[in-house]
Amino acid sequence: MLRAFAILLSLPMLLPMYPCPPKTADGTEEKIDSIVNFYNTDKPGGQLAVSLDGRVIYSKYWGLADIENKVPLMTETLIEAGSVSKQFTAAAILLLEKQGKLSLDDDVAKYIPTLPSYGHRILIRHLIHHTSGLREWSDIAELAGWPLALNVPDNPAVLAIICRQKSLNNLPGTIFRYSNSNYILLALITEKVSGVTFAAFTKKHIFERAGMTHTRWRDAFGEVIPMRSQAYEVKNAEFRSLMPDNAIHGPGGLLTTAEDLLKWNEFYLSGKLGGKALLAKQTGLDTLSNGLLNNYAAGLFVENNTKRVFHHGGATAGYRAKLVCSPDLRLSVAWLSNTSMLDTAGRDPAMEVFQLLSGPSDNSPKPDAEKTVQISPEKLKQFTGLYKSGHSGRDVEITSGPEGLLLSGTPLKPLGENRFKFHSIALYFGGNGELIVTPPSSEPMLYQITDTPTPASPQEYASKYYSEEANAWIEIKNTNGKLTANLASGPAYSMESYRTDGFLVPDLKADIVFKRNKQKKVSAMEVSTQRSLRVLFERR
């Protein structure tokens, strides 16, 4: 049942330590080639480039940029970098702060006055470090039927969705929860403060200065962009076109090349972007309100083992990307691909190459400086049970024994009354049977405790529900005792009961909890996805 945690511990995001200098011996090129041996000349492909001490030591490309027209992919071919884009958006904000035009401690409402007041200030630094609590705009749009029934073409349209949200996932500064909404707002703040478009500001102050001559934003839907590759997914063993269908940029939308990404790493890591002070903010970590360190810097995941490692991956439509570097080793690896075909294989070529060149890893356990606390057995027992999540499709079972709380037979380390650790995975038990699981270099996953559901007729839930936040309807239908959630765009998703008034919707990667009024009648439901919690839909 807890096989999920074994999987989490083996993910490439959990970086080993790198005590040895990079290898430069003969045969390195052949070893890299053997890692990137999955591309074919007649299929979509990619680029991979490596730099050491500021010098490009490897740069190759494979496959086709356009299958239909048999256009080969080249070094100069533009490939979308997905969320690797975020470090450039964060850098633009840091440059504006250096120019004295804003402060990371400014209230976001100062620049986005339409943002609702949630009773707690959201600061610019909260946006940068993904601690604002703002819901993920795309999850809300998906509940409303996007992209099939709702067109969300650009940043202003997304802002309207963000500003419709009446509540937050969490209080600002309390937890890291990845949300592209944060970086949409950062791009809009850049435009408001600088007085020019986000694309113009970054071109002048970042791309041109770094020598990134092949880099630009995808900021106009339908624009013909020379040298841009087409993106592809694999369905039924065949490649199918899967291109971005919007003009959203800031959290993603960067069109670039692997060699340009290496230029960026060399530029900002050498302090040329804005000096040592700006570099410290770009790579520095923030502390959450509970005193724990958030390892998401300014658009970068940061690992501090024997050697520092900065990394970020990206995925938009069929495009995939990864940029990883160690400033201590002066080593950078950039990978871009115009196909998502590696998703099911679990391959991470950039990290594989990085590990190859970094030398053997030292997996000896690090001393744990976190202090344990004593918790009474009675207190611990309230946390035991089977937890489920429609987001992950996995189960977590917490048991207890003489050693305390157990997960897969392994004792949890108590760090507070509600906080525990399982190896490097953080667990937080909230109220109402919630469990938040946070692997390193990843975002929290919400689980709900199961119980024996109170008998209820499926017909009690069958109705239409409307959300002002999503500006959309969801209809719950009862067909022969089986419930489905039907979105505005047409798809019907099966629902699985796991607790009283609680249902998993695995294919939608969501949970639904029905709410009852004083008369015990179902009056509303809350829909939670991984990045957007408790979106209210009222029965109409």
Side-chain angles (χ1 to χ4, degrees):
M1 183 172 293
L2 262 297
R3 182 172 58 90
F5 282 92
I7 294 173
L8 285 171
L9 290 172
S10 67
L11 289 176
M13 66 179 68
L14 306 182
L15 301 177
M17 296 183 283
Y18 301 96
C20 301
K23 300 174 182 177
T24 56
D26 292 341
T28 297
E29 180 178 353
E30 289 76 11
K31 290 179 180 178
I32 297 176
D33 287 343
S34 69
I35 291 175
V36 196
N37 62 357
F38 37 77
Y39 291 123
N40 296 319
T41 56
D42 60 342
K43 301 292 192 300
Q47 305 164 345
L48 190 137
V50 182
S51 67
L52 179 63
D53 293 326
R55 180 175 60 91
V56 177
I57 63 170
Y58 183 97
S59 180
K60 290 189 178 182
Y61 49 88
W62 303 266
L64 296 176
D66 183 336
I67 296 178
E68 288 181 291
N69 297 296
K70 306 294 184 185
V71 178
L73 199 147
M74 299 185 295
T75 305
E76 298 82 10
T77 301
L78 301 184
I79 303 176
E80 191 152 335
S83 289
V84 174
S85 313
K86 287 182 171 66
Q87 55 201 278
F88 298 91
T89 304
I93 291 291
L94 295 177
L95 283 172
L96 288 170
E97 185 184 46
K98 180 178 172 60
Q99 295 170 6
K101 296 181 178 179
L102 57 74
S103 167
L104 298 189
D105 292 317
D106 283 346
D107 192 325
V108 173
K110 176 180 178 180
Y111 307 100
I112 310 291
T114 54
L115 190 70
S117 173
Y118 297 106
H120 300 272
R121 297 173 68 227
I122 298 176
L123 309 180
I124 291 178
R125 69 170 61 255
H126 293 146
L127 302 181
I128 286 177
H129 298 290
H130 289 297
T131 59
S132 69
L134 290 170
R135 291 169 172 160
E136 169 62 52
W137 75 267
S138 61
D139 285 2
I140 305 297
E142 186 176 357
L143 294 176
W146 180 74
L148 297 178
L150 177 69
N151 187 24
V152 184
D154 55 19
N155 288 9
V158 173
L159 177 62
I161 293 176
I162 296 172
C163 292
R164 279 205 305 266
Q165 304 313 299
K166 298 179 179 180
S167 61
L168 300 170
N169 287 330
N170 49 263
L171 296 181
T174 61
I175 194 171
F176 165 82
R177 190 177 295 277
Y178 196 93
S179 173
N180 287 293
S181 299
N182 294 315
Y183 277 72
I184 290 283
L185 297 186
L186 290 174
L188 293 170
I189 290 172
T190 299
E191 292 187 334
K192 184 158 190 176
V193 172
S194 69
V196 298
T197 66
F198 178 68
F201 182 86
T202 49
K203 178 181 179 180
K204 177 179 178 180
H205 295 281
I206 298 178
F207 304 152
E208 290 181 351
R209 291 180 58 204
M212 301 172 69
T213 56
H214 300 293
T215 299
R216 55 161 296 168
W217 294 99
R218 174 182 51 78
D219 58 345
F221 180 65
E223 181 181 7
V224 175
I225 301 175
M227 295 299 293
R228 175 169 58 166
S229 63
Q230 298 298 296
Y232 301 91
E233 65 174 346
V234 178
K235 270 197 172 182
N236 300 322
E238 293 185 352
F239 285 102
R240 297 177 59 86
S241 178
L242 184 62
M243 290 292 288
D245 54 2
N246 55 69
I248 298 160
H249 58 292
L254 188 76
L255 295 170
T256 188
T257 67
E259 289 189 359
D260 265 16
L261 290 178
L262 294 185
K263 291 178 181 178
W264 160 246
N265 272 358
E266 178 64 19
F267 178 68
Y268 88 84
L269 289 173
S270 63
K272 295 177 182 177
L273 177 64
K276 292 183 178 179
L278 190 147
L279 177 60
K281 289 190 175 184
Q282 180 97 34
T283 59
L285 301 180
D286 210 16
T287 302
L288 300 174
S289 58
N290 60 9
L292 297 180
L293 200 62
N294 172 18
N295 76 331
Y296 195 91
L300 296 165
F301 285 103
V302 176
E303 308 292 340
N304 286 297
N305 294 319
T306 301
K307 302 293 182 183
R308 293 174 298 161
V309 180
F310 306 150
H311 63 98
H312 212 299
T316 299
Y319 295 110
R320 295 296 182 266
K322 187 69 169 282
L323 182 60
V324 56
C325 71
S326 170
D328 302 311
L329 300 177
R330 296 290 311 280
L331 172 66
S332 293
V333 181
W335 168 70
L336 294 164
S337 181
N338 67 330
T339 171
S340 59
M341 70 180 188
L342 294 185
D343 287 2
T344 55
R347 294 289 303 275
D348 188 342
M351 194 59 68
E352 291 175 35
V353 171
F354 184 79
Q355 292 173 353
L356 166 72
L357 299 179
S358 300
S361 61
D362 176 8
N363 291 318
S364 57
K366 295 175 64 180
D368 195 340
E370 294 175 316
K371 296 181 179 180
T372 60
V373 299
Q374 296 297 320
I375 306 175
S376 68
E378 293 76 18
K379 174 79 172 177
L380 292 176
K381 194 169 184 179
Q382 67 177 313
F383 301 133
T384 60
L386 178 64
Y387 294 80
K388 289 180 175 286
S389 171
H391 316 157
S392 71
R394 301 164 179 151
D395 297 346
V396 175
E397 185 168 18
I398 305 295
T399 59
S400 63
E403 312 95 322
L405 291 183
L406 303 174
L407 195 160
S408 293
T410 300
L412 301 183
K413 180 178 180 180
L415 303 178
E417 286 195 354
N418 299 349
R419 294 191 297 111
F420 297 80
K421 260 199 169 180
F422 175 78
H423 299 290
S424 57
I425 297 173
L427 292 90
Y428 175 79
F429 294 92
N432 300 317
E434 292 184 350
L435 168 61
I436 297 174
V437 178
T438 309
S441 297
S442 188
E443 54 195 298
M445 187 76 73
L446 176 66
Y447 289 76
Q448 302 275 0
I449 198 167
T450 63
D451 62 21
T452 302
T454 301
S457 168
Q459 195 59 35
E460 285 191 58
Y461 306 111
S463 185
K464 285 188 175 182
Y465 298 79
Y466 179 75
S467 171
E468 293 182 356
E469 295 174 309
N471 190 27
W473 294 87
I474 292 181
E475 184 175 5
I476 304 300
K477 290 185 177 181
N478 171 28
T479 304
N480 298 324
K482 300 290 185 180
L483 292 176
T484 57
N486 299 258
L487 304 191
S489 52
Y493 296 95
S494 296
M495 299 165 57
E496 303 173 10
S497 175
Y498 71 99
R499 61 184 295 186
T500 300
D501 292 337
F503 293 81
L504 305 178
V505 194
D507 291 340
L508 188 59
K509 293 185 177 179
D511 300 332
I512 292 178
V513 176
F514 289 94
K515 315 302 290 186
R516 294 179 180 268
N517 57 24
K518 294 180 180 179
Q519 290 74 40
K520 306 299 182 182
K521 301 293 185 182
V522 174
S523 59
M525 66 180 185
E526 291 179 340
V527 182
S528 294
T529 64
Q530 183 176 1
R531 297 177 179 175
S532 295
L533 305 182
R534 306 177 193 90
V535 181
L536 181 65
F537 283 76
E538 296 180 293
R539 190 169 192 167
R540 297 288 177 90

